[in-house]
Amino acid sequence: MADVAVVGAGLIGLSIANELAARGADVTVFDRDEPARAASWAGAGMLAPFSEATADSDLLALCRRSLEAYPAFVADVQERSGVDVRLRFDGTLHAALDEADLGRLGVAAASARANGGDAMLLDRAEVLEREPFLAKHVAGGLFVANEAQVDNRRLGRALVGAARARGVRFERVAQLALACDARRVRGVRTPQGFAAASTVVNAAGAWAGALDGVPEHARVAVRPVAGEMLAIALPPSAIHALVWFGHRYLVPRDDARLLVGATVVERGFDARVTAAGVHDLLDAALAVAPALASFAVVETWAGLRPATPDGRPYIGPTALEGYVVASGHYRNGILLAPETAHAIAELIVSGRVPASIAPFAPGRVGSMKSNPLREGAAAAAKPAE
Ligand SMILES: Cc1cc2nc3c(=O)[nH]c(=O)nc-3n(C[C@H](O)[C@H](O)[C@H](O)COP(=O)(O)OP(=O)(O)OC[C@H]3O[C@@H](n4cnc5c(N)ncnc54)[C@H](O)[C@@H]3O)c2cc1C
C-alpha cells in the first residue's frame, strides 16, 4: 500500500491523512507548527455553500457534495477520537437592515433555490420570532435551512485523534523541502534527514505556493488573504443560527461564545489583528444586534485563507509524478475537507483522477501564473534566525 507524506496538518492535510489511513495507507504528516493551528483554527466553521453564493458551478457542486458528506465524515472522526465536533444543521439567517438589503436578498433567494438551497424570504416579524436578539428595526430576512456549522477547532483535535488511532505518524519539522529527481517525487527532506515517500501531498494552505524544492513546472500560485475575527461572551440561547448581514456574520457556539467574522484583507503573510479590523467587525455586529454592546469581547484572532488566481482550489496530481496538491480552498476549506480527502485518497489508492476534482487540476490553464507573493512567502515561511 502507498506510503504517503502529507505536508501541512491543517483540516485539509489531516482529513486526507485520516482517509488514506482508513484505506490502509502508511501516512506521515509533516508540519512546522502544532497541527490544526493555522487557517483551520482561525476559521468560523460555517458549512454554507449557498450563502457564500459562489458563481462557479463546478465549485458549488463540490461544496454541495462535501456538505452532504459531512454527517458521515464527522460520525467517523468522533467515534475514532471521542471528541464531539458540534456539527449543527440549524441553517443560516440573512438579515436585511433596509429596503436595499431586502432587494438583494430577493435576488439571493432565487439564486440559492436554483442551486439547491432550501431558502425562504421572511418578513420582520418572522426574523424576530427566530432571532429576537437582533435589532428591532430589521427590514426582513432570508433563511437557508440546509446549511450547517461545525466547531473547527474541535474538528482539528478530533482529526488528529482519529488519524493517530489509525496509525498516522506526526512529525514537527522546522524546515521542509520536497525531494525529487527529474521524473518523480522521492520524499521530503527535513533537518532530521530524508524521509522516502512514493507520494507527497502538498496541503500547506496559504504557504502551498512557497514549498521548497518544487520544480517550476509543478508549482501552484497560492496567496494569503487575511481574515480577522473576534468572539463575544453570550449565552448560547441568545442567537440560535448563523446570521449573515452584508459581508459579515455571527456564529453562535455551544460554549457561550458568539463569533463575529470576518474581514478580508490582501496584505501578504500578515496575520495580525488590527484596530481597523476590530472596529469594522464591531461596527457591523452592533448595527444588526445592538444589544451585544454590553457583553464582553473575549478573544480576537486572525488567519490566512489560501487563495488562487481563478478562485478554484488545486486538488489533484501535478506534472511531477507522485506530487499531489490539495490547497487553495480559500473561504471554503472547512466545508471542503471531507470531499477533498475522499477524492485525494481515491486518487492515491486507485491511481485514477475522480471526476469530481477534474475541474480543479493543479495544472489547469491559467493556474500556473507566477505568484508575485511567492518570494515573500518563502521568506515568511523560514523560521527566524
Ligand atoms: C477568518 C477566517 C474565517 C473562515 N471561515 C470559514 C468558514 O466559515 N467555512 C469554511 O469552510 N472555511 C472558512 N475559512 C477558510 C478555511 O479556514 C481554510 O480554507 C482552511 O482552513 C484551509 O485549510 P488548510 O489545511 O489548507 O490550511 P491551514 O489550516 O492553513 O494549514 C496549513 C498547514 O500547513 C503548514 N505548513 C505550511 N507550509 C509548511 C511547510 N513548508 N512545512 C511544514 N508545514 C507547513 C502550516 O503550519 C499549517 O499548519 C476561513 C478562514 C479564515 C481565515
Side-chain angles (χ1 to χ4, degrees):
M1 185 44 82
D3 55 315
V4 184
V6 176
V7 182
L11 289 181
I12 297 296
L14 290 170
S15 302
I16 291 169
N18 182 52
E19 177 78 25
L20 278 167
R23 296 178 188 217
D26 180 13
V27 186
T28 306
V29 177
F30 295 85
D31 203 299
R32 57 176 177 231
D33 207 341
E34 275 176 54
R37 287 294 297 185
S40 298
W41 178 89
M46 295 179 295
L47 310 177
F50 313 111
S51 295
E52 283 284 354
T54 172
D56 180 335
S57 58
D58 289 326
L59 182 55
L60 184 65
L62 195 75
C63 288
R64 286 182 56 183
R65 283 171 71 106
S66 211
L67 180 61
E68 280 162 25
Y70 240 90
F73 168 71
V74 155
D76 171 71
V77 293
Q78 289 188 154
E79 192 193 321
R80 291 272 160 178
S81 65
V83 178
D84 180 351
V85 305
R86 312 263 164 93
L87 177 65
R88 293 168 48 171
F89 268 88
D90 38 23
T92 306
L93 176 74
H94 295 254
L97 288 177
D98 54 30
E99 289 302 314
D101 280 353
L102 212 46
R104 282 190 284 273
L105 289 188
V107 177
S111 140
R113 275 190 214 111
N115 290 328
D118 182 2
M120 65 179 136
L121 287 166
L122 307 176
D123 63 22
R124 169 183 295 133
E126 289 166 328
V127 170
L128 292 174
E129 195 182 325
R130 282 179 179 277
E131 299 291 358
F133 201 81
L134 297 188
K136 299 293 170 263
H137 61 271
V138 289
L142 164 67
F143 186 66
V144 184
N146 52 343
E147 293 189 322
Q149 65 146 301
V150 68
D151 185 327
N152 40 298
R153 295 182 184 179
R154 284 176 162 264
L155 179 59
R157 288 207 300 280
L159 276 164
V160 171
R164 275 196 210 285
R166 288 193 158 111
V168 173
R169 292 176 298 278
F170 285 83
E171 298 278 349
R172 191 156 173 183
V173 292
Q175 276 177 315
L176 182 142
L178 191 76
C180 61
D181 57 29
R183 201 179 60 82
R184 75 167 343 278
V185 135
R186 296 289 164 199
V188 295
R189 271 182 224 292
T190 72
Q192 282 78 44
F194 170 68
S198 54
T199 307
V200 177
V201 181
N202 178 347
W207 300 268
L211 191 62
D212 284 340
V214 180
E216 195 57 34
H217 69 279
R219 283 193 170 269
V220 288
V222 179
R223 69 180 197 282
V225 177
E228 295 147 291
M229 295 190 60
L230 57 86
I232 294 175
L234 190 73
S237 56
I239 291 185
H240 303 95
L242 304 175
V243 177
W244 276 73
F245 43 102
H247 299 295
R248 305 288 177 248
Y249 48 78
L250 307 175
V251 181
R253 288 284 203 246
D254 294 338
D255 63 359
R257 292 183 322 140
L258 179 75
L259 313 190
V260 183
T263 61
V264 180
V265 197
E266 301 253 6
R267 57 173 186 226
F269 287 86
D270 176 356
R272 289 173 306 140
V273 177
T274 62
V278 171
H279 178 265
D280 168 315
L281 294 171
L282 286 176
D283 204 35
L286 294 183
V288 77
L292 286 173
S294 59
F295 291 85
V297 173
V298 288
E299 192 186 348
T300 61
W301 67 94
L304 300 173
R305 306 174 184 92
T308 63
D310 62 6
R312 290 184 168 190
Y314 297 117
I315 312 173
T318 65
L320 180 67
E321 194 181 331
Y323 177 52
V324 171
V325 178
S327 180
H329 294 76
Y330 192 42
R331 294 176 67 107
N332 285 308
I334 300 166
L335 170 60
L336 286 170
E339 189 56 23
T340 302
H342 177 79
I344 293 287
E346 188 66 28
L347 165 74
I348 292 172
V349 171
S350 75
R352 287 186 299 278
V353 179
S356 64
I357 55 166
F360 307 102
R364 63 187 178 264
V365 174
S367 71
M368 306 296 284
K369 291 177 199 157
S370 70
N371 182 351
L373 288 167
R374 192 183 292 152
E375 287 188 5
K382 287 199 178 107
E385 311 262 53

